[in-house]
Amino acid sequence: MDKKKIILLVGALVVAAVTALLARSMFADASAPQAVAKKAEVMGEEVLVATRALPVGTIITPDVFKFQPWPKDLVEEAYFMKEGTNIEQLHGTVVRNAITAGQPVTKGALVSPGDRGFLAAALGPGMRAVTIPVSGLTGVAGFVFPGDRIDLMLTQSVAGEGPELKVSETVIRNLRVLATDNRVTASKNEEGQTVAKKAKLVTLEATPKIAEKIAVAQTLGTLSLALRSLADSSAELEEAIASGEVKLPKTDDPVEEAALIRSLAARPSTKKSTFSTGGDVSRFEARTPPPLAEKEKPKGPVVRVARGSDRPKEIEFGDK
């Protein structure tokens, strides 16, 4: 082939390639603003949505929701809009109607402290609210806040013949704190930092049977709170499932299984009760309960019997 024709052919190919690249760049630049404009036209205001599933009774904290753009045609008046919503006022409210992850939070789904039915909404299904007195010593110096989980310890003296036995026993585990005094949210200072405040009363969530045990425990001795780690409930549940103590129903739905596991992890328990006696602390204290003093046997009817010259004898008869 002639050398000139080869040069012309290569030049034509280069020009065609450059033209194609320029055309592609022009079309891309022209379409981008249209896409942005279309997206801006479709999306409306930012609304408050749940970042995870919120079952009934969940106490609202800052990590459970966020603002997210929502389709303009689907925005409802019941939604919390970013403009005009004070997030601080929603902290401490309770979910009255279940909210799924990614779903907008409606005004009717939350109930605020002081509103009618607030405490009833904070309780889980089948649960009861029970209040116990505490002090700075028995209430973890005010570092127990609503939403925390605690173990309940009973300290008492067991009387009998000899020295009293001092004993402390963990009677109930994994109780949820609903309120301290009449507060359902943590106290904060002017900088917005959480402030520990000693409480005189703590309201706990319990099953009906456990609520009865707590009422009896208050008459036996002193009740103290032990704050639990966030990881303890999950670890104990996994141990119970592995040992066969807790059996999960067969289901192929991972969402349903996860919800069931969360529900089981939130249940208080009276199992695995542990105790420590005075002898575990000091060698001069007893380790075992003292023997109970025998009660004086009640006397029945007594008859004096005289036989001849013998001295009269007293014979005691039973109830019969």
Side-chain angles (χ1 to χ4, degrees), residues 24-38:
R24 182 179 178 182
S25 177
M26 292 175 60
F27 283 117
D29 294 341
S31 60
Q34 294 178 2
V36 173
K38 184 175 181 181

Side-chain angles (χ1 to χ4, degrees), residues 294-305:
E294 294 185 3
K295 296 182 179 179
E296 183 179 356
K297 185 178 179 181
K299 293 183 177 181
V302 178
V303 177
R304 295 173 60 88
V305 179

Side-chain angles (χ1 to χ4, degrees), residues 120-292:
L123 290 171
M127 306 298 280
R128 304 292 185 267
V130 57
T131 300
I132 62 172
V134 295
S135 63
L137 181 62
T138 61
V140 199
F143 283 97
V144 171
F145 302 106
D148 289 340
R149 292 192 171 272
I150 57 97
D151 291 343
L152 196 62
M153 297 186 299
L154 170 64
T155 303
Q156 59 181 321
S157 298
V158 181
E161 292 184 348
E164 291 184 337
L165 175 68
K166 308 294 185 180
V167 60
S168 181
E169 180 183 8
T170 300
V171 290
I172 305 171
R173 298 178 182 272
N174 200 27
L175 288 165
R176 181 168 73 120
V177 178
L178 294 175
T180 54
D181 286 337
N182 60 348
R183 302 189 306 274
V184 294
T185 57
S187 301
K188 294 186 178 182
N189 57 19
E190 297 179 355
E191 289 76 19
Q193 298 174 341
T194 302
V195 179
K197 188 174 182 180
K198 295 180 182 179
K200 296 181 179 180
L201 298 173
V202 172
T203 302
L204 306 171
E205 182 184 54
T207 63
K209 186 63 177 179
I210 290 179
E212 295 173 355
K213 293 183 177 181
I214 293 175
V216 174
Q218 294 184 59
T219 66
L220 299 179
T222 302
L223 292 178
S224 302
L225 310 182
L227 185 62
R228 291 174 63 91
S229 167
L230 295 175
D232 283 354
S233 299
S234 300
E236 290 182 2
L237 178 61
E238 291 176 0
E239 181 181 348
I241 294 175
S243 64
E245 182 181 346
V246 174
K247 294 184 179 180
L248 296 176
K250 296 181 180 179
T251 176
D252 296 331
D253 188 356
V255 177
E256 181 181 353
E257 182 177 354
L260 180 59
I261 291 176
R262 285 196 302 269
S263 176
L264 291 173
R267 303 290 290 187
S269 173
T270 56
K271 297 181 179 179
K272 292 187 177 181
S273 176
T274 59
F275 68 92
S276 296
T277 64
D280 297 325
V281 180
S282 171
R283 68 182 68 183
F284 302 104
E285 294 290 337
R287 288 182 178 272
T288 57
L292 298 177

Side-chain angles (χ1 to χ4, degrees), residues 7-201:
I7 294 174
L8 290 175
L9 180 59
V10 172
L13 292 175
V14 172
V15 172
V18 172
T19 304
L21 291 174
L22 291 175
R24 182 179 178 182
S25 177
M26 292 175 60
F27 283 117
D29 294 341
S31 60
Q34 294 178 2
V36 173
K38 184 175 181 181
K39 183 178 180 180
E41 182 180 353
V42 172
M43 302 304 292
E45 299 184 45
E46 292 188 15
V47 302
L48 197 67
V49 300
T51 57
R52 58 180 176 86
L54 303 177
V56 176
T58 302
I59 298 177
I60 293 298
T61 55
D63 61 324
V64 301
F65 48 58
K66 66 177 181 179
F67 284 104
Q68 177 178 307
W70 203 251
K72 185 176 181 180
D73 296 339
L74 300 180
V75 174
E76 302 288 344
E77 293 183 0
Y79 294 167
F80 288 97
M81 308 298 180
K82 186 173 184 179
E83 184 178 353
T85 299
N86 187 356
I87 295 295
E88 295 294 333
Q89 294 181 353
L90 300 181
H91 297 169
T93 58
V94 171
V95 177
R96 178 161 47 188
N97 302 320
I99 306 172
T100 58
Q103 177 183 348
V105 180
T106 60
K107 299 176 182 178
L110 303 179
V111 56
S112 301
D115 292 348
R116 181 178 180 181
F118 170 78
L119 190 57
L123 290 171
M127 306 298 280
R128 304 292 185 267
V130 57
T131 300
I132 62 172
V134 295
S135 63
L137 181 62
T138 61
V140 199
F143 283 97
V144 171
F145 302 106
D148 289 340
R149 292 192 171 272
I150 57 97
D151 291 343
L152 196 62
M153 297 186 299
L154 170 64
T155 303
Q156 59 181 321
S157 298
V158 181
E161 292 184 348
E164 291 184 337
L165 175 68
K166 308 294 185 180
V167 60
S168 181
E169 180 183 8
T170 300
V171 290
I172 305 171
R173 298 178 182 272
N174 200 27
L175 288 165
R176 181 168 73 120
V177 178
L178 294 175
T180 54
D181 286 337
N182 60 348
R183 302 189 306 274
V184 294
T185 57
S187 301
K188 294 186 178 182
N189 57 19
E190 297 179 355
E191 289 76 19
Q193 298 174 341
T194 302
V195 179
K197 188 174 182 180
K198 295 180 182 179
K200 296 181 179 180
L201 298 173

